[in-house]
Amino acid sequence: MSSELTSALLWLVPGLPAFGALLLLVVGHRADRWAAHLATALVSASALIGVVMCAGMVSRDESARTVFSGRYRWIDVGGLHVDAALRLDQLSMCFVLLITVVGSAIHVYSIGYMSTDPGRRRFFAYLNLFVAAMLILVLSDGFLGLYLGWEGVGVASYLLIGFWQHRPAAATAAKKAFVMNRVGDVGMVIALAVMVATFGSVDFGPVFGAADEASEAALTGICFMLLLGACAKSAQVPLQAWLGDAMEGPTPVSALIHAATMVTAGVYLITRSAPLFDLAPHAQTGVVVVGAVTLLFGAIIGCAKDDIKKALAASTMSQIGYMVLAAGLGPAGYAVAIMHLLTHGFFKAGLFLGSGSVMHALNDETDMRRMGGLRAVMPITFVTFGLGYLAIIGIPPLAGFYSKDHIIEAALGTGGARGWLLAGAAVLGAGITAFYMTRVMVMTFLGDRRWEPDRRPHESPPSMTWPMIALAVGSVFSGALLSVGGRLTGFLSPVVGTAPDHDAPLPSWAVTVIVLAVVLLGVAVAWDSYGRRAVPETAPTDVSGLTLAARADLYGDAVNERLLAAPGLAATTVVARLEDRGIGRIPATVGASVGALSGWSRRAQNGFVRSYALSILAGTVVVAALTLVVSAL
């Protein structure tokens, strides 16, 4: 496809799912019978257009690969000029393919998963809206357009997480995700304001072109505010607490949010803003610290979760931490962060859809202590979930092996104690990942059957298994396709830069051996704890303090309650009391005074002639007396 045709058709990529969402919401119940198929067809059409555009991009010279579409003046106020335009370059192309291809698989899966739900038309409308908003986010040629998609994703996530709003837990989870993401959005708004003050624009071209001339203080402030937004959207410490509760939504929502869309937005934001972060080393350090802390934070939480979806949610938090860590390494890590993001999109979506298949077979049971022995009755789910498991723990030659090892090598390449510390955290995270994912695999599919006698688990229908198979294939081959020969690194280099040459402290084969040894150790410990012993149907209570902390999400909610919610409630209480006892009485006092004055005035104007004559006499006496006093002086 030529660049001219790409420019002409690019608007269709977000436009088709946006049209689907609008149509299904406007038409109403008349669309109930065909809503799922229309929504799936429109997203699939966007995926097909994206694939054709990618083929055309690869066939063109590197200098002609960036294409713009639909540029027009959006805001023209004083000295601020903001254009609305779409930008398709190598970075946005990666996200377009991930969002539409994985999103299409999730739509197909949802046809079977939501087949009996009375609100499935509305569900598919929200799915289309989610995909459209994410595509606007990654295709916009400016931070304001990105922010438009950013907020669209936030609204769609609220609607999808709380889709079963009749469940109090789902309604609460939706509000929690919405509020915590609004905290991050404050950072985005401040960053936009500082950009306007510093660069006079929020479009990528003017901002990135003038970045060299801006002060380091301004750039650092902008980047830290962008990082705040990324922490909320990608569930990174300290704004990670909403992610586990988001599992209250239907399982396809979990796959869409945690694999291909919402949680990847923060990584995209940091990578897209590379020209700013590269000039703000303190902000880059902040990104690295957030990523390293979160990858361990999520991994520890995943070890103690008995709910299969919440264990996978903690895993998502941890894996996004790897991506954020890599993005904080600058040009050495941007491409490998995107590589892990793409491979993660396949194996994590497959894992979530596999968990949904298990729930479908067990009447929505999510407690792994009530599962076990599903390997024989759900062979397709077992194999596809197993391939995703092997990919996420990094067993060669599956996808996670390539991307995660590259992140560890990039961390080591930064040199010194910092490089060893970051690489050590990443390796430790890999070992913990192997432990909790083996735990999930064993408790769900192996061992004794622990489900209720009245349940008859069975394999899911083809509309659910075929997407799982497709994602499993991606889990196996995507890492090699992206990594071998430096394909993805070379493809992205015009946008994110080229990794500098450095002397690695360890050769690649040594890193692989160390990581595999740690991973196999984690697998062995998990097998010894859960594979060779009977799994109790209730969680043990005589556990260590760390286990209790992990079950409580390392007290993320408690910290937010103490540091943010409690002071806010206290301030609100003080203001309310001031209003009741002080400020609030001022209007009443003024009103009472005016009323009293009015009452006195009414007495003076009573309509009796004798009263008026008396008033005239009194006034005359007062004037005469004043005249005599003044004359005497």
Side-chain angles (χ1 to χ4, degrees):
M1 183 181 290
S2 66
S3 58
E4 293 79 11
L5 185 57
T6 298
S7 177
L9 298 180
L10 183 57
W11 67 272
L12 286 173
V13 176
L16 290 175
F19 170 74
L22 178 63
L23 180 65
L24 295 180
L25 291 174
V26 170
V27 171
H29 291 292
R30 289 170 291 180
D32 285 348
R33 296 182 61 183
W34 44 268
H37 295 88
L38 175 68
T40 303
L42 290 174
V43 174
S44 300
S46 290
L48 180 60
I49 294 172
V51 171
V52 174
M53 287 181 174
C54 182
M57 176 182 286
V58 173
S59 66
R60 295 193 297 271
D61 291 337
E62 189 175 284
S63 59
R65 288 181 174 177
T66 300
V67 175
F68 299 93
S69 176
R71 185 173 296 279
Y72 68 92
R73 185 54 53 87
W74 185 7
I75 297 175
D76 193 357
V77 179
L80 177 62
H81 311 291
V82 180
D83 292 333
L86 300 181
R87 173 194 188 104
L88 183 66
D89 57 14
Q90 292 90 325
L91 178 60
S92 54
M93 187 78 257
C94 291
F95 280 85
V96 166
L97 293 178
L98 175 68
I99 295 164
T100 57
V101 172
V102 176
S104 297
I106 293 171
H107 273 70
V108 173
Y109 178 93
S110 300
I111 293 175
Y113 190 88
M114 301 293 290
S115 60
T116 60
D117 195 292
R120 70 176 192 155
R121 172 192 54 83
R122 183 166 50 90
F123 177 79
F124 278 93
Y126 294 162
L127 280 187
N128 268 202
L129 176 63
F130 204 121
V131 171
M134 190 67 193
L135 288 169
I136 291 172
L137 191 158
V138 300
L139 284 171
S140 293
D141 186 37
F143 284 99
L144 191 59
L146 185 155
Y147 184 68
L148 176 65
W150 192 271
E151 290 301 304
V153 169
V155 171
S157 68
Y158 171 78
L159 296 172
L160 286 168
I161 295 170
F163 180 75
W164 289 321
Q165 69 271 18
H166 58 277
R167 300 179 181 177
T172 301
K175 289 185 287 186
K176 183 177 180 179
F178 190 81
V179 170
M180 293 198 73
N181 273 274
R182 298 294 73 73
V183 174
D185 291 350
V186 171
M188 290 286 291
V189 172
I190 294 174
L192 291 173
V194 178
M195 286 180 196
V196 171
T198 304
F199 306 108
S201 177
V202 291
D203 291 336
F204 290 154
V207 170
F208 296 156
D212 290 335
E213 303 171 6
S215 68
E216 183 176 332
L219 291 172
T220 300
I222 291 172
C223 291
F224 268 116
M225 290 299 99
L226 293 177
L227 175 59
L228 178 62
C231 285
K233 200 67 73 179
S234 293
Q236 299 292 284
V237 172
L239 298 175
Q240 80 293 341
W242 65 269
L243 194 66
D245 296 278
M247 297 298 98
E248 294 295 335
T251 298
V253 174
S254 303
L256 193 63
I257 289 178
H258 295 155
T261 54
M262 186 169 175
V263 294
T264 63
V267 181
Y268 170 79
L269 177 64
I270 296 171
T271 307
R272 175 60 76 187
S273 306
L276 303 180
F277 279 93
D278 288 343
L279 298 172
H282 296 299
Q284 279 189 324
T285 300
V287 174
V288 167
V289 170
V290 166
V293 170
T294 307
L295 75 87
L296 293 174
F297 200 96
I300 292 171
I301 292 174
C303 293
K305 293 298 180 183
D306 293 331
D307 186 307
I308 186 172
K309 289 178 65 177
K310 290 191 175 183
L312 294 178
S315 171
T316 297
M317 187 193 308
S318 178
Q319 297 304 306
I320 299 294
Y322 276 99
M323 303 171 205
V324 172
L325 168 62
L329 299 176
Y334 291 131
V336 294
I338 300 303
M339 181 187 299
H340 194 54
L341 186 151
L342 295 175
T343 59
H344 177 266
F346 285 105
F347 58 69
K348 183 52 63 67
L351 289 169
F352 268 114
L353 296 189
S355 70
S357 179
V358 170
M359 292 170 58
H360 182 78
L362 294 175
N363 298 331
D364 290 332
E365 179 63 70
T366 60
D367 189 347
M368 293 184 293
R369 295 184 180 276
R370 300 178 182 273
M371 298 179 185
L374 292 174
R375 176 186 60 180
V377 295
M378 305 183 69
I380 298 177
T381 300
F382 169 68
V383 172
T384 56
F385 194 98
L387 290 173
Y389 153 72
L390 294 174
I392 194 174
I393 69 174
I395 298 298
L398 280 77
F401 161 73
Y402 293 95
S403 54
K404 195 175 293 186
D405 275 23
H406 285 328
I407 291 175
I408 296 171
E409 292 172 11
L412 271 177
T414 59
R418 178 175 182 261
W420 285 103
L421 180 63
L422 294 177
V427 173
L428 177 59
I432 301 175
T433 300
F435 172 83
Y436 71 74
M437 284 306 303
T438 303
R439 177 178 181 268
V440 169
M441 193 72 189
V442 171
M443 291 179 68
T444 304
F445 294 99
L446 305 179
D448 297 330
R449 300 180 177 186
R450 300 183 300 277
W451 62 74
E452 297 294 335
D454 60 332
R455 292 177 177 171
R456 297 291 184 269
H458 52 82
E459 189 57 87
S460 297
S463 62
M464 296 172 64
T465 55
W466 279 111
M468 291 158 55
I469 293 171
L471 293 171
V473 172
S475 301
V476 174
F477 296 109
S478 61
L481 291 175
L482 296 172
S483 177
V484 174
R487 287 191 183 96
L488 185 64
T489 303
F491 182 69
L492 290 175
S493 59
V495 181
V496 301
T498 304
D501 294 329
H502 55 78
D503 295 328
L506 291 175
S508 296
W509 66 264
V511 173
T512 298
V513 170
I514 293 172
V515 174
L516 277 178
V518 174
V519 165
L520 293 177
L521 177 61
V523 172
V525 173
W527 176 256
D528 182 68
S529 301
Y530 297 95
R532 298 177 58 186
R533 306 177 188 179
V535 176
E537 294 189 8
T538 57
T541 56
D542 55 338
V543 293
S544 66
L546 180 60
T547 300
L548 292 175
R551 289 177 180 175
D553 296 337
L554 294 182
Y555 306 114
D557 285 333
V559 170
N560 290 333
E561 176 72 23
R562 294 287 181 87
L563 297 183
L564 299 175
L569 290 173
T572 303
T573 302
V574 171
V575 170
R577 288 178 178 175
L578 287 175
E579 184 175 358
D580 290 340
R581 300 178 181 178
I583 299 174
R585 293 185 177 183
I586 293 176
T589 303
V590 172
S593 300
V594 172
L597 181 62
S598 300
W600 181 85
S601 300
R602 285 197 302 272
R603 295 191 187 97
Q605 302 293 330
N606 55 20
F608 294 112
V609 174
R610 61 179 180 272
S611 298
Y612 297 152
L614 181 61
S615 299
I616 294 171
L617 176 61
T620 303
V621 172
V622 171
V623 171
L626 290 175
T627 302
L628 292 173
V629 171
V630 172
S631 299
L633 295 175

